[in-house]
Amino acid sequence: MTSDLITHVVVPGTFDPVTLGHIDVIRRTRRLFPRVTVAVAASANKHGRGTTFSLEERVDMIREALVCEGLPDDIEVEPFTGLLVEFAKGLGAGGVVKGLRAMTDFEYELQQADLNSHLSPDLESVFVMSNPQYGYVSSSIVREIASMGSDVSTLVPANVNARLLERYGR
């Protein structure tokens, strides 16, 4: 049995937009692992439609949010297309960290973890339970509320709130 420690993990997502729940998972992941890369997926066809923000906008928002939220400046943020396992291998990451809010998240993420294990047996899947404070927060909920002109400032970092106000107004 080998005892290879995992020192680099990837936290993947579409982050359309990044929420305080995402930031919480990234913060907690950084406490567990010395090197963290936030992998921003292109996901052009997520749920049958494109993303609200471009890939470049989402990468920029996360980078700004990490600074605004006081996270360590050694957290990398990189865009990716294609298979997550190939992206992680290319970085030399030993694991993928996903945040879980509810059982529905678990069922979906377990399927993804099983598939990733089949494609790349050495890539570990790690699940971080959401902080109850953010258990109901999702990017889709944030977009819906913001598009109706309601305040989402308690759900997203300040820089993201500003971008949502630009996009949807109030």
Side-chain angles (χ1 to χ4, degrees):
M1 181 168 118
T2 66
S3 62
D4 295 336
L5 292 178
I6 296 174
T7 58
H8 184 193
V9 296
V10 172
V11 181
T14 306
F15 305 107
D16 186 38
V18 65
T19 69
L20 290 175
H22 292 129
I23 296 295
D24 179 61
V25 168
I26 294 165
R27 175 181 284 116
R28 291 165 57 214
T29 298
R30 181 57 185 82
R31 287 181 57 211
L32 297 170
F33 298 97
R35 186 170 174 208
V36 174
T37 300
V38 178
V40 184
S43 295
N45 293 316
K46 186 169 184 177
H47 302 297
R49 61 166 189 77
T51 57
T52 299
F53 294 98
S54 73
L55 182 57
E56 296 77 20
E57 288 174 309
R58 291 180 281 131
V59 167
D60 288 344
M61 282 192 287
I62 294 172
R63 287 180 177 150
E64 292 169 16
L66 294 176
V67 171
C68 291
E69 295 296 319
L71 273 78
D73 62 5
D74 61 354
I75 297 173
E76 301 166 44
V77 180
E78 298 294 336
F80 83 98
T81 58
L83 290 175
L84 174 61
V85 295
E86 295 301 324
F87 178 77
K89 272 190 215 176
L91 292 177
V96 172
V97 176
K98 298 296 296 258
L100 299 177
R101 294 170 298 201
M103 282 304 293
T104 52
D105 282 351
F106 177 76
E107 291 172 5
Y108 174 79
E109 295 300 345
L110 179 61
Q111 287 180 336
Q112 293 301 304
D114 288 347
L115 177 60
N116 289 344
S117 178
H118 174 74
L119 295 172
S120 184
D122 293 337
L123 189 66
E124 293 293 336
S125 292
V126 178
F127 299 109
V128 174
M129 300 309 298
S130 76
N131 182 322
Q133 179 179 357
Y134 305 115
Y136 63 93
V137 179
S138 69
S139 294
S140 57
I141 295 280
V142 165
R143 286 191 312 271
E144 184 174 351
I145 293 170
S147 72
M148 293 181 189
S150 291
D151 181 22
V152 294
S153 62
T154 60
L155 308 177
V156 296
N159 68 302
V160 174
N161 189 53
R163 295 269 188 112
L164 288 165
L165 287 171
E166 287 173 15
R167 177 71 40 108
Y168 297 114
R170 190 176 340 184

